[in-house]
Short mmCIF file of all heavy atoms in Angstrom, two decimals:
data_model
loop_
_atom_site.label_atom_id
_atom_site.label_comp_id
_atom_site.label_asym_id
_atom_site.label_seq_id
_atom_site.Cartn_x
_atom_site.Cartn_y
_atom_site.Cartn_z
N ASP A 1159 11.92 9.66 -27.92
CA ASP A 1159 12.12 9.41 -29.33
C ASP A 1159 12.82 10.59 -30.05
O ASP A 1159 12.96 10.62 -31.24
CB ASP A 1159 10.79 9.06 -30.05
CG ASP A 1159 9.82 10.26 -30.03
OD1 ASP A 1159 10.14 11.29 -29.36
OD2 ASP A 1159 8.73 10.17 -30.69
N GLY A 1160 13.21 11.61 -29.26
CA GLY A 1160 13.96 12.71 -29.85
C GLY A 1160 13.07 13.90 -30.29
O GLY A 1160 13.57 14.93 -30.72
N THR A 1161 11.77 13.74 -30.17
CA THR A 1161 10.84 14.83 -30.53
C THR A 1161 10.67 15.79 -29.33
O THR A 1161 11.10 15.46 -28.25
CB THR A 1161 9.46 14.30 -30.96
OG1 THR A 1161 8.90 13.54 -29.85
CG2 THR A 1161 9.51 13.42 -32.17
N CYS A 1162 10.07 16.92 -29.61
CA CYS A 1162 9.88 17.94 -28.55
C CYS A 1162 8.36 18.07 -28.24
O CYS A 1162 7.58 18.25 -29.17
CB CYS A 1162 10.45 19.26 -29.02
SG CYS A 1162 12.23 19.27 -29.23
N ALA A 1163 8.03 17.87 -27.01
CA ALA A 1163 6.61 17.97 -26.61
C ALA A 1163 6.39 19.18 -25.76
O ALA A 1163 7.24 19.55 -24.94
CB ALA A 1163 6.17 16.75 -25.86
N SER A 1164 5.25 19.88 -25.97
CA SER A 1164 4.95 21.08 -25.19
C SER A 1164 4.82 20.72 -23.71
O SER A 1164 4.29 19.70 -23.35
CB SER A 1164 3.66 21.66 -25.69
OG SER A 1164 3.34 22.82 -24.92
N SER A 1165 5.36 21.56 -22.89
CA SER A 1165 5.28 21.32 -21.45
C SER A 1165 5.24 22.63 -20.74
O SER A 1165 6.19 23.40 -20.72
CB SER A 1165 6.54 20.54 -21.02
OG SER A 1165 6.67 20.61 -19.61
N ARG A 1166 4.07 22.92 -20.16
CA ARG A 1166 3.88 24.21 -19.47
C ARG A 1166 4.84 24.33 -18.28
O ARG A 1166 5.35 25.36 -18.00
CB ARG A 1166 2.44 24.30 -19.01
CG ARG A 1166 1.57 24.52 -20.19
CD ARG A 1166 0.18 24.88 -19.84
NE ARG A 1166 -0.52 25.09 -21.13
CZ ARG A 1166 -1.73 25.45 -21.20
NH1 ARG A 1166 -2.44 25.68 -20.15
NH2 ARG A 1166 -2.29 25.63 -22.36
N THR A 1167 5.09 23.17 -17.64
CA THR A 1167 5.99 23.26 -16.49
C THR A 1167 7.39 23.59 -16.96
O THR A 1167 8.11 24.31 -16.31
CB THR A 1167 5.98 21.91 -15.74
OG1 THR A 1167 6.08 20.87 -16.67
CG2 THR A 1167 4.75 21.74 -14.89
N CYS A 1168 7.81 23.05 -18.16
CA CYS A 1168 9.13 23.39 -18.68
C CYS A 1168 9.20 24.87 -19.03
O CYS A 1168 10.25 25.49 -18.75
CB CYS A 1168 9.39 22.58 -19.95
SG CYS A 1168 10.30 21.06 -19.62
N ALA A 1169 8.19 25.44 -19.61
CA ALA A 1169 8.17 26.86 -19.94
C ALA A 1169 8.40 27.68 -18.67
O ALA A 1169 9.07 28.70 -18.69
CB ALA A 1169 6.87 27.22 -20.60
N MET A 1170 7.85 27.27 -17.58
CA MET A 1170 7.96 28.01 -16.31
C MET A 1170 9.40 27.94 -15.79
O MET A 1170 9.85 28.87 -15.16
CB MET A 1170 6.98 27.46 -15.28
CG MET A 1170 5.52 27.83 -15.66
SD MET A 1170 4.31 26.78 -14.86
CE MET A 1170 4.35 27.47 -13.22
N VAL A 1171 10.06 26.86 -16.03
CA VAL A 1171 11.41 26.70 -15.50
C VAL A 1171 12.44 27.47 -16.32
O VAL A 1171 13.42 27.97 -15.79
CB VAL A 1171 11.84 25.17 -15.48
CG1 VAL A 1171 13.26 25.00 -15.05
CG2 VAL A 1171 10.91 24.41 -14.56
N ASN A 1172 12.15 27.65 -17.62
CA ASN A 1172 13.02 28.47 -18.51
C ASN A 1172 14.45 27.93 -18.61
O ASN A 1172 15.39 28.59 -18.26
CB ASN A 1172 12.99 29.94 -18.02
CG ASN A 1172 13.54 30.91 -19.08
OD1 ASN A 1172 13.64 30.51 -20.28
ND2 ASN A 1172 13.90 32.06 -18.68
N CYS A 1173 14.58 26.66 -19.05
CA CYS A 1173 15.90 25.98 -19.17
C CYS A 1173 16.61 26.51 -20.44
O CYS A 1173 15.99 26.81 -21.45
CB CYS A 1173 15.77 24.53 -19.29
SG CYS A 1173 15.02 23.76 -17.86
N GLN A 1174 17.98 26.57 -20.36
CA GLN A 1174 18.76 27.01 -21.50
C GLN A 1174 18.67 25.96 -22.66
O GLN A 1174 18.59 26.36 -23.79
CB GLN A 1174 20.21 27.18 -21.07
CG GLN A 1174 21.13 27.67 -22.18
CD GLN A 1174 22.57 27.72 -21.73
OE1 GLN A 1174 22.98 27.19 -20.70
NE2 GLN A 1174 23.41 28.42 -22.52
N TYR A 1175 18.76 24.66 -22.34
CA TYR A 1175 18.79 23.60 -23.33
C TYR A 1175 17.63 22.63 -23.20
O TYR A 1175 17.76 21.48 -23.51
CB TYR A 1175 20.10 22.81 -23.23
CG TYR A 1175 21.34 23.57 -23.63
CD1 TYR A 1175 22.26 23.94 -22.72
CD2 TYR A 1175 21.55 23.87 -24.97
CE1 TYR A 1175 23.41 24.64 -23.09
CE2 TYR A 1175 22.71 24.53 -25.33
CZ TYR A 1175 23.64 24.91 -24.45
OH TYR A 1175 24.76 25.55 -24.85
N GLY A 1176 16.45 23.10 -22.75
CA GLY A 1176 15.34 22.17 -22.67
C GLY A 1176 15.36 21.39 -21.36
O GLY A 1176 16.31 21.48 -20.58
N CYS A 1177 14.30 20.59 -21.16
CA CYS A 1177 14.22 19.82 -19.86
C CYS A 1177 13.51 18.52 -20.02
O CYS A 1177 13.04 18.19 -21.11
CB CYS A 1177 13.51 20.71 -18.85
SG CYS A 1177 11.82 21.15 -19.33
N GLU A 1178 13.42 17.84 -18.90
CA GLU A 1178 12.62 16.57 -18.92
C GLU A 1178 11.88 16.53 -17.60
O GLU A 1178 12.28 17.15 -16.60
CB GLU A 1178 13.59 15.34 -19.05
CG GLU A 1178 14.54 15.19 -17.88
CD GLU A 1178 15.45 13.97 -18.08
OE1 GLU A 1178 15.26 13.19 -19.02
OE2 GLU A 1178 16.31 13.78 -17.21
N GLU A 1179 10.76 15.79 -17.63
CA GLU A 1179 10.00 15.66 -16.41
C GLU A 1179 10.15 14.24 -15.86
O GLU A 1179 9.98 13.23 -16.61
CB GLU A 1179 8.51 15.90 -16.70
CG GLU A 1179 8.15 17.36 -16.76
CD GLU A 1179 6.67 17.60 -16.94
OE1 GLU A 1179 5.92 17.36 -15.98
OE2 GLU A 1179 6.28 17.96 -18.06
N VAL A 1180 10.59 14.15 -14.62
CA VAL A 1180 10.77 12.83 -14.00
C VAL A 1180 9.88 12.83 -12.72
O VAL A 1180 10.13 13.62 -11.81
CB VAL A 1180 12.27 12.56 -13.62
CG1 VAL A 1180 12.42 11.20 -13.04
CG2 VAL A 1180 13.15 12.71 -14.85
N LYS A 1181 8.89 11.96 -12.70
CA LYS A 1181 7.99 11.78 -11.57
C LYS A 1181 7.42 13.17 -11.14
O LYS A 1181 7.50 13.55 -9.96
CB LYS A 1181 8.69 11.11 -10.40
CG LYS A 1181 9.05 9.68 -10.67
CD LYS A 1181 9.81 9.05 -9.55
CE LYS A 1181 10.32 7.68 -9.94
NZ LYS A 1181 11.46 7.24 -9.16
N GLY A 1182 7.01 13.93 -12.13
CA GLY A 1182 6.40 15.23 -11.83
C GLY A 1182 7.35 16.35 -11.54
O GLY A 1182 6.99 17.47 -11.39
N GLN A 1183 8.63 16.01 -11.44
CA GLN A 1183 9.67 17.02 -11.19
C GLN A 1183 10.25 17.44 -12.54
O GLN A 1183 10.56 16.61 -13.38
CB GLN A 1183 10.81 16.44 -10.32
CG GLN A 1183 10.38 16.23 -8.88
CD GLN A 1183 10.32 17.49 -8.12
OE1 GLN A 1183 9.26 18.13 -8.04
NE2 GLN A 1183 11.44 17.94 -7.57
N VAL A 1184 10.48 18.76 -12.71
CA VAL A 1184 11.08 19.24 -13.91
C VAL A 1184 12.60 19.42 -13.73
O VAL A 1184 12.99 20.03 -12.72
CB VAL A 1184 10.46 20.57 -14.36
CG1 VAL A 1184 11.12 21.11 -15.59
CG2 VAL A 1184 8.98 20.41 -14.62
N GLN A 1185 13.38 18.86 -14.63
CA GLN A 1185 14.83 18.94 -14.53
C GLN A 1185 15.36 19.52 -15.82
O GLN A 1185 15.03 19.04 -16.92
CB GLN A 1185 15.45 17.58 -14.34
CG GLN A 1185 15.64 17.18 -12.89
CD GLN A 1185 16.34 15.84 -12.81
OE1 GLN A 1185 16.11 14.96 -13.61
NE2 GLN A 1185 17.23 15.68 -11.86
N CYS A 1186 16.25 20.57 -15.73
CA CYS A 1186 16.87 21.09 -16.94
C CYS A 1186 17.96 20.13 -17.38
O CYS A 1186 18.56 19.37 -16.55
CB CYS A 1186 17.50 22.46 -16.61
SG CYS A 1186 16.27 23.74 -16.30
N LEU A 1187 18.21 20.11 -18.66
CA LEU A 1187 19.23 19.18 -19.25
C LEU A 1187 20.34 19.91 -19.90
O LEU A 1187 20.20 21.08 -20.33
CB LEU A 1187 18.55 18.34 -20.40
CG LEU A 1187 17.42 17.40 -19.99
CD1 LEU A 1187 16.81 16.80 -21.24
CD2 LEU A 1187 17.99 16.28 -19.13
N CYS A 1188 21.51 19.28 -19.97
CA CYS A 1188 22.67 19.79 -20.69
C CYS A 1188 22.93 18.81 -21.86
O CYS A 1188 22.88 17.60 -21.69
CB CYS A 1188 23.90 19.91 -19.83
SG CYS A 1188 23.75 21.18 -18.54
N PRO A 1189 23.27 19.40 -23.08
CA PRO A 1189 23.37 18.47 -24.24
C PRO A 1189 24.62 17.67 -24.32
O PRO A 1189 24.82 16.86 -25.19
CB PRO A 1189 23.30 19.48 -25.41
CG PRO A 1189 23.76 20.76 -24.87
CD PRO A 1189 23.40 20.76 -23.42
N SER A 1190 25.53 17.79 -23.34
CA SER A 1190 26.77 17.05 -23.41
C SER A 1190 27.25 16.67 -21.98
O SER A 1190 26.99 17.44 -21.05
CB SER A 1190 27.88 17.92 -24.07
OG SER A 1190 29.16 17.57 -23.68
N GLY A 1191 27.94 15.56 -21.86
CA GLY A 1191 28.45 15.09 -20.60
C GLY A 1191 29.54 16.01 -20.04
O GLY A 1191 29.89 15.94 -18.85
N GLY A 1192 30.08 16.83 -20.91
CA GLY A 1192 31.15 17.79 -20.49
C GLY A 1192 30.59 19.09 -20.01
O GLY A 1192 31.31 20.06 -19.75
N LEU A 1193 29.26 19.15 -19.84
CA LEU A 1193 28.58 20.32 -19.33
C LEU A 1193 27.80 19.93 -18.07
O LEU A 1193 27.36 18.82 -17.96
CB LEU A 1193 27.57 20.95 -20.32
CG LEU A 1193 28.17 21.44 -21.62
CD1 LEU A 1193 27.05 21.77 -22.60
CD2 LEU A 1193 29.10 22.59 -21.44
N GLN A 1194 27.69 20.89 -17.10
CA GLN A 1194 26.84 20.59 -15.95
C GLN A 1194 25.95 21.81 -15.67
O GLN A 1194 26.27 22.87 -16.09
CB GLN A 1194 27.78 20.31 -14.78
CG GLN A 1194 28.62 21.49 -14.31
CD GLN A 1194 29.61 21.14 -13.21
OE1 GLN A 1194 29.80 19.99 -12.89
NE2 GLN A 1194 30.19 22.14 -12.62
#
């Protein structure tokens, strides 16, 4: 829904632009399709 939820696992990964958890795996995100 666009909100930000606390995630201890995300804090440990230290992503530049935030992250998401998929099936227990933490993945960093990029805010644009022109970034990888």
Side-chain angles (χ1 to χ4, degrees):
D1159 65 354
T1161 59
C1162 296
S1164 177
S1165 164
R1166 288 187 179 185
T1167 45
C1168 266
M1170 291 160 76
V1171 176
N1172 195 16
C1173 297
Q1174 182 185 13
Y1175 290 110
C1177 62
E1178 65 180 356
E1179 279 184 74
V1180 183
K1181 295 178 186 155
Q1183 290 284 93
V1184 177
Q1185 267 183 323
C1186 292
L1187 296 173
C1188 290
S1190 154
L1193 298 172
Q1194 64 185 11

